[in-house]
Amino acid sequence: MSVDLLCFGEPMLEFNQQSDGNYLPGHGGDTSNCAIAAARSGASVGMLAHVGADAFGDSFLSLWEVEGVDTSTVTGSAVAHTGIYFVSHGPDGHQFSYMRAGSASSRVTPQDLPVADIEAAKILHVSGISQAISNTAADAVFAAIDIARAAGTRVSYDTNLRLKLWPLARARAVTHAAMAMADIALPGKDDAEHLTGLSDPDAIVDFYLTLGAKVVALTLGSDGTLVATSDRRERIAAFPVKAVDATGAGDTFDGAFLGELLRTDDPFAAGRYANAAAALSTLGYGAVAPMPTRSAVDRFLEERNK
Ligand code: ADP
């Protein structure tokens, strides 16, 4: 089945420590979160992912099916496991422990790509994490980008910098090269500061436009977002909400933004919609559970615009 938006990256099972010390399982992984947010916004979306032949891989397949995310480009590995990570809460705050080395997604190579599905999509979404997990995964993302560009499929890229996965110099080299081939740049402000050495949002946006992106949506946390094209830019304030957990707010922003961009072809309308969806996603704990549906976002926008 062909989909409008294809999200390529590693889904990861999360085990989040609760106050009683036990670990609560949940679903994570930036591009999977983005796909679910897009599906809840009503987009036609699929996952391009590699999972292990284990209970966690099955759990992701069930989740995506329930959420309406197409799984025809999900591959099960017979030899590798689904990636997992633990979130522990100590006196110094959150601590992330990743068990992803050798995971099914990290073993992906350029030869594993579903070429016709990438060509048939309208947007291919990838991230810095999709590339950071291994050298072959970095190569596979570049190959997927090449296939997309040759077919007129737009490429969307979120920096999602994780310095635990690769050193800054390599992250810079790879993400700048990928961003230069992207149509839609979705950097977060903290990432972009590290990667570009710039701190002024306008300068960061100019940096990515100059690299080649046609649309940049720079997310600024509780300061909202700055959306820009070569001839227009708009600072969209965040919706004041009582945020309890911003985990996954950036991923929700991406999915909602891409879903609305597909629907309206207007990056500024997409920025307003995604700002509302991301604000709503901060009202509950975890990444997936609080992601809003389109009707919840529309209701919220109606209320706030009264
Ligand atoms: P990332 O998680 O990628 O660093 P951000 O922290 O920039 O992403 O957040 C992404 C988007 O989520 C922001 O652009 C904004 O729309 C929304 N958001 C994040 N934090 C808040 C908040 N405290 N209140 C309202 N909206 C928020």
Side-chain angles (χ1 to χ4, degrees):
M1 189 180 111
S2 75
V3 293
D4 290 345
L5 172 63
L6 196 53
C7 298
F8 179 19
E10 177 164 39
M12 295 192 87
L13 242 288
E14 176 190 278
F15 291 88
N16 201 319
Q17 194 176 32
Q18 307 299 292
S19 50
D20 62 6
N22 287 324
Y23 285 85
L24 187 71
H27 296 94
D30 61 339
T31 52
S32 170
N33 292 341
C34 169
I36 294 167
R40 290 196 187 174
S41 288
S44 145
V45 52
M47 267 314 283
L48 199 183
H50 297 76
V51 295
D54 48 38
F56 300 150
D58 295 344
S59 166
F60 268 106
L61 284 167
S62 310
L63 171 77
W64 292 323
E65 272 154 27
V66 166
E67 295 289 345
V69 174
D70 183 68
T71 57
S72 56
T73 46
V74 177
T75 307
S77 165
V79 293
H81 62 279
T82 305
I84 61 173
Y85 67 101
F86 295 84
V87 190
S88 316
H89 304 276
D92 301 329
H94 287 49
Q95 195 189 341
F96 290 87
S97 309
Y98 293 98
M99 313 273 157
R100 77 190 327 163
S103 68
S105 286
S106 70
R107 294 180 187 219
V108 66
T109 75
Q111 284 71 46
D112 298 327
L113 296 172
V115 175
D117 295 285
I118 297 170
E119 289 173 342
K122 292 184 178 143
I123 297 178
L124 170 74
H125 174 72
V126 295
S127 81
I129 298 177
S130 314
Q131 295 204 278
I133 54 176
S134 71
N135 291 343
T136 60
D139 295 345
V141 169
F142 279 129
I145 291 174
D146 282 341
I147 294 165
R149 282 164 59 91
T153 300
R154 282 190 284 177
V155 174
S156 160
Y157 197 97
D158 186 331
T159 46
N160 262 340
L161 178 64
R162 296 292 183 273
L163 289 171
K164 269 195 163 180
L165 293 176
W166 52 1
L168 183 58
R170 185 154 13 113
R172 270 194 182 136
V174 173
T175 58
H176 289 355
M179 277 292 197
M181 297 191 277
D183 301 280
I184 303 157
L186 301 173
K189 173 123 187 301
D190 293 347
D191 294 358
E193 285 187 2
H194 278 100
L195 290 166
T196 66
L198 303 165
S199 55
D200 173 44
D202 280 300
I204 292 170
V205 159
D206 286 335
F207 179 91
Y208 286 113
L209 287 172
T210 305
L211 271 186
K214 313 276 184 305
V215 173
V216 180
L218 175 68
T219 62
L220 306 165
S222 56
D223 288 330
T225 179
L226 178 61
V227 180
T229 58
S230 60
D231 55 5
R232 183 176 157 198
R233 71 184 57 188
E234 208 175 291
R235 179 82 173 252
I236 306 170
F239 288 93
V241 290
K242 290 204 172 67
V244 297
D245 176 16
T247 311
D251 303 336
T252 300
F253 183 94
D254 289 355
F257 183 87
L258 295 172
E260 193 64 358
L261 188 67
L262 280 163
R263 199 177 73 89
T264 63
D265 207 23
D266 176 349
F268 302 95
R272 282 188 288 278
Y273 177 88
N275 234 19
L280 287 170
S281 79
T282 69
L283 298 179
Y285 290 96
V288 173
M291 281 175 185
T293 58
R294 168 166 293 280
S295 58
V297 176
D298 287 345
R299 253 194 330 270
F300 178 75
L301 282 168
E302 226 169 80
E303 281 292 309
R304 296 288 169 133
N305 292 334
K306 263 185 193 160

